[in-house]
Amino acid sequence: METVLNLLLIRFGLIAAGLVVLGLVVFAVVVTLRRRGKGHHVTTAARFAARVLDERGARRGLGSRVAREALNRFDDR
């Protein structure tokens, strides 16, 4: 039983670490694009993500909130 719990804990740790690394990479790409004056790519990606999540019906999920916040934050209007 202890071996199974250890394996589950290791799996959870690897998934969490992977999500953190993915988030850091996305953040670095966004910051780089914004500094080079290509922020419209970020806005386009946020609009696309919001549209896809709306089509799936994920209006209350975390991904939908993140996409909407990114769209509001980087929208040039």
Side-chain angles (χ1 to χ4, degrees):
M1 183 68 175
E2 184 179 341
T3 306
V4 173
L5 291 176
N6 285 338
L7 290 175
L8 288 174
L9 184 61
I10 290 170
R11 188 181 89 179
F12 173 75
L14 289 175
I15 291 171
L19 288 175
V20 167
V21 168
L22 181 64
L24 289 173
V25 168
V26 169
F27 179 73
V29 168
V30 168
V31 168
T32 303
L33 286 174
R34 294 290 288 176
R35 284 189 179 173
R36 292 185 180 178
K38 299 180 181 181
H40 62 279
H41 294 301
V42 176
T43 305
T44 303
R47 282 190 182 133
F48 176 73
R51 187 170 53 240
V52 167
L53 290 170
D54 281 344
E55 288 174 0
R56 287 183 164 185
R59 290 187 175 90
R60 293 185 179 171
L62 178 62
S64 180
R65 280 188 270 162
V66 168
R68 289 192 192 289
E69 182 62 31
L71 182 59
N72 290 337
R73 177 85 55 182
F74 294 114
D75 201 3
D76 293 329
R77 292 185 220 170

